[in-house]
Amino acid sequence: MIARLLASFLSDEKGATAVEYGLLATLISVGMIVGLTNFGDTLNNTFMMLSNAIQPE
């Protein structure tokens, strides 16, 4: 009985799909955070350069 229960538990793959989707969502989120952080730094540098260029001397 325990062997049959263990075999059915090990053959069930429903939870594996949820874990895969969770890992995929995490990977996409980390990629977006890194990309947007780098884009934000570049955008900030661009605005600082424009601000310095239009300031009267």
Side-chain angles (χ1 to χ4, degrees):
M1 180 175 154
I2 293 177
R4 190 174 10 159
L5 182 62
L6 185 61
S8 72
F9 176 73
L10 292 176
S11 67
D12 187 16
E13 295 182 3
K14 292 177 185 173
T17 303
V19 171
E20 290 168 358
Y21 282 129
L23 290 173
L24 187 60
T26 302
L27 182 62
I28 290 170
S29 299
V30 168
M32 287 180 64
I33 289 169
V34 169
L36 290 174
T37 300
N38 290 336
F39 176 72
D41 291 341
T42 303
L43 189 62
N44 187 32
N45 290 339
T46 302
F47 281 128
M48 290 299 291
M49 183 181 68
L50 288 173
S51 175
N52 290 336
I54 63 173
Q55 284 182 351
E57 293 181 24

